[in-house]
Every structure is written in C-alpha cells, then in structure tokens.
Amino acid sequence: MLEGIRLRGVWPPPPGCLRAVRLTLALRAMYMDLILASTYLTALPNELKTSSKIGDRPTSDVVVRLRTQDGRDDWLYCHSHILVEESKYFADRLSDSWPTCQILDSRNCVEVYCEEPDLDSHVNVLRLFYVIADGLMMEICHGVKNALGILRVAVKLGCPRIIAVCVDYLEAVPWEEAEEEEILNTIPSMGSKVEPVLARLQPVNPTAVMKIFLAALQFATSSPPSPLNDLKNTAQEQLEYMLTEDDDAPLLSADEEIKLEVMRCVKKLLDRFNSIVESLLCDLQESISDSGKMQSLHSCLTDLLWACQILGKLEIIRDFVCSWTELSMKLVTIVQQKDGENQILKTKLKVLEVTAKVLEAIGYGIVVLPTVKRLHMVKLWLPFVRTMKPLVDSVSEETEEDLTLKFDSEIWQSLESAFVAIILTLSSVDQTDILTEWLENQQIRYPDLTEAFEVWCYRSKVAKRRLATLGEEHNTAKAV
C-alpha cells in the first residue's frame, strides 16, 4: 500500500491512511498465526503417535497384560490414544461406558487372555499399532504362518487396518500345501472381510472347466515341438486327473459333448499314427532305427497309450480297438524288422503296452468283435509276445541301470490273462490249434495258457454228455 501511495506521488501519506496500513498489517499477522495454529493442531495427533513407542514406560498410560492358561503373564506399556484408534476391543475397554471403568486402576490396565501359541501374535499386533507406513506393515507380515497368526488376533481385537494388510498379503503370496490347509481351517470362520484370501480356492465355473479341458485335450493330442513335450505330458496327466474319481468326484462329468470331442481328437491322433506306419512300410529297405520316423512312431505310441486310459474312463474305447485291430498287421511287420537296437526295443515295449489295453477290452467283453477278428488278434500277437518276453528279460539283466527298458510285470500278467480270456471265446477247433501250437513251442513258459488248456479239456470231455442231455430235453419239450 505504501508503494502504491509512493507511485501516485503523495508522500508523506495522510495520517488516516497510515492507520489503515497498520490495521491491514495487523490483520495479516493474525491470519498467519491462525493458519500456523491450525496446521499445528492438525499435525499434533500424528506427531504424538509417531513420537510414542511401545514399551516406553515414562510416556505410557495403559498396561496391556497378555495372560495364558499356562500362567504366562506379559506386560506391555502402551498408549491409550493409539490403542483406541487401532482396535475396537481396546476402544470399548477404555471407554467410559465400560462397566468397570470407574474401578481404581481398571482404565490403566487391560487384561487380554489368549492361547499360548497365539501369545507372540498378540505382541506383534500391539507393535503394529505403532507402525504408520503400510509398506513396513507388509514387511512385518513376513511368512504365511506369521500373517495368519496376526490376522487371527486382529479379527479378535477388531483391528480393521491390520486385517486389511494381512488379507492383502495372504492373497498375494504363494502358499505351500500345509499353509493352504491351515488357511482353509482358519479363514472361513472370520467373516466377509477376509474372503478375498480364499479366491484361488473357490470352485471353478463348469463352463470354465469345460473350456480348459478342451484346450488341454487339443494340445495333449497334438504333435508339438520337442521342447514342449514335457508340457504335453503334463496336460495329459491333468486331463486324466480331471476325469478320475478318487476321494473327490471328477472335475467334470463325461457328457456327450466331452465324449465326442475326445473321440474326435483321438481319431486325429490315430490318423497321424496311421500315416507314420504307412510311411515306415514304404521305407522297410532303409534302416528305420536310424530315422526320425521311428522316434515319431514311439512318441505317437506314448500318446495312444494315454488315449487308452481316457477312452476307458469314458467307456468309448470301441473305435480305438477296431482301429488298432486293423493296424496290427502293419505294425508288427514294422517292429519285427530290427532286433536289439535300444530305440527299437523301447518302441516294441510301447507297442505291447497299447496292445495289452486293446486285448483286455476284447477279452473281457468291453468291446465285442467278430470271431474272425478275435482269432486274428490272438494268432498275430501271441507269437510276438512270446518272443518279446525272453528278449526283454535278457536285456534287463544285462542293462540293470537302464530303467527305460524295464517292463512292468503287471503288463505281462495282463497280456497273459487277456489271451486266455480271448482263446476261451473261440470255437473248440480254433482252441485246439492254438493250444497244440503252444504245447509244441519252446517258449511254453510264457504266456502260460494252462487255464485255457484245463477248460478246453473239461469242455471237450463233457461236450457229448451236455449236448446229449440238451437234445433229450429239447425233444421232450417238443413232444409236449
């Protein structure tokens, strides 16, 4: 204002004008004092809270006694304004409305009873009351077990800020299996505020399950590059797990849509397998064990073995059995070309594993085939299996460390049982030919057809009597 007067060329200013200037300056000074006072009053609680430290006995006004049934009694010197702000439990205990607030020293000492395992968590929660930065609180939560302990106490004492921090922490970090079980045993009883922790454990929408099943199925039956083989194996394992009924029901029900999609994908797999077989038949003059085609054949056989498991669970294995029956002659022709090479031997073993599944389906009536095809499968695969058993046994003894050449003894037993079951469904004449050849063969020890031989002998001996009895009963019934 003085500068303005000077600019207008009036100096010295009139007396009235000087009084106005002084009044303005005084008012401005008062206004600045009010702003400073307001700022100070606003910052005072935070400054007071920041300056307070748990266990600082000279400044504390409340003692929190943590007591257990085992007799442990820990005293922590705290500050009432912090306890009231952070915990509903302490706000109630330190309020004037609490029934015992008027009793001498009741306001200055708050007893909290807890279980012995939770005592340390109670101490941690009280310490967290004095932490302002959430980032530091996250660091204090370190570990799922520790965070769960803090969360239990925070829910008990009504501490919304600490509850939110623990929930955010548990929701974000990975869990081990034991930690996951503890979360399932702890979280559900704590109310809606902690429900986000369980988000990763909630049942999946059936539509989403179907979506991932179909995507995994297409990948599991594809022919990806070699680096992705481990991922394909994982997809196959998890698809089988989804359809398996163990302690829990299958993840999805095998409806017609699933069955049709599985059949479609397996058909594509069989078509690819057939193409490899046809290509190898054209290359029999070459050393097929040195070509990449044999590796492709082995890989495809591995996928087909897995497909048998899935088709069996869904009870839709018929088309696969029929296709394998048609391909059997070509496949035996290919794998019999070479003996001894490691890759060829592993491929033969994989062929036997798939064949065992097919023969089981035929022998136990899961898939009904005409007599001609049943007889064809026995006459084709019986000699092959008979020569493979001693070969695998000898190689396994020589290369005990090569686990890839070991063959599950249950597979040999399954093949033997399936052959016996199929043979007993054939005509007596066909059984006679097969058993005669078996008795004359040097490899009579495997497969052991003793059971089929015994049944054949019994049936043959009593056949005339049975048929004669049936004929008499038929004639008697006809006469009546």
Side-chain angles (χ1 to χ4, degrees), residues 122-267:
H122 280 75
V123 175
N124 287 335
V125 168
L126 291 172
R127 288 175 177 170
L128 286 175
F129 288 168
Y130 290 78
V131 179
I132 296 176
D134 284 348
L136 183 57
M137 289 181 67
M138 281 292 191
E139 294 178 3
I140 294 176
C141 278
H142 60 86
V144 172
K145 185 175 182 179
N146 187 56
L148 276 174
I150 293 174
L151 180 59
R152 280 193 294 266
V153 177
V155 171
K156 170 185 173 182
L157 300 181
C159 313
R161 189 168 72 106
I162 297 179
I163 291 174
V165 171
C166 290
V167 168
D168 290 342
Y169 177 84
L170 291 171
E171 191 273 333
V173 299
W175 309 332
E176 295 181 358
E177 185 175 356
E179 294 171 340
E180 186 169 313
E181 291 298 324
E182 187 174 357
I183 287 172
L184 282 171
N185 293 330
T186 304
I187 296 296
S189 61
M190 291 185 176
S192 60
K193 291 182 179 180
V194 299
E195 285 182 357
V197 178
L198 300 175
R200 70 181 77 172
L201 303 175
Q202 297 297 326
V204 183
N205 184 290
T207 303
V209 174
M210 175 67 77
K211 183 178 180 181
I212 195 171
F213 178 86
L214 295 179
L217 178 64
Q218 293 175 5
F219 184 77
T221 54
S222 65
S223 182
S226 298
L228 295 179
N229 281 340
D230 289 342
L231 178 57
K232 184 177 75 171
N233 293 338
T234 298
Q236 292 176 350
E237 291 173 0
Q238 295 310 309
L239 284 169
E240 187 173 354
Y241 175 73
M242 289 183 192
L243 296 171
T244 299
E245 182 175 0
D246 39 32
D247 293 339
D248 300 302
L251 190 56
L252 73 170
S253 58
D255 57 19
E256 291 303 317
E257 181 182 359
I258 290 178
K259 291 181 179 180
L260 288 174
E261 186 63 23
V262 170
M263 291 173 66
R264 186 184 69 81
C265 290
V266 173
K267 186 179 184 304

Side-chain angles (χ1 to χ4, degrees), residues 359-405:
L359 292 177
E360 283 180 0
I362 298 172
Y364 301 134
I366 299 173
V367 176
V368 178
L369 292 183
T371 303
V372 174
K373 292 188 176 182
R374 297 200 307 277
L375 181 60
H376 166 73
M377 291 295 282
V378 172
K379 288 189 173 182
L380 178 65
W381 288 108
L382 189 59
F384 182 79
V385 170
R386 182 181 294 148
T387 57
M388 279 295 298
K389 181 65 163 62
L391 176 62
V392 173
D393 289 344
S394 63
V395 173
S396 298
E397 292 175 359
E398 295 173 3
T399 58
E400 292 183 358
E401 296 181 359
D402 189 358
L403 299 179
T404 59
L405 295 179

Side-chain angles (χ1 to χ4, degrees), residues 331-339 344 348 380 383-384 387:
L331 190 56
V332 170
T333 302
I334 291 171
V335 295
Q336 282 182 335
Q337 295 303 306
K338 294 287 183 179
D339 291 319
I344 293 292
K348 288 181 177 181
L380 178 65
F384 182 79
T387 57

Side-chain angles (χ1 to χ4, degrees), residues 382 386 431-450 452-454 456-457:
L382 189 59
R386 182 181 294 148
Q431 292 184 41
T432 302
D433 294 340
I434 294 171
L435 293 172
T436 299
E437 193 273 337
W438 168 64
L439 291 168
E440 293 175 349
N441 198 287
Q442 293 181 353
Q443 304 297 336
I444 194 174
R445 295 176 59 185
Y446 185 85
D448 185 359
L449 304 182
T450 301
F453 181 44
E454 292 173 350
W456 178 87
C457 289

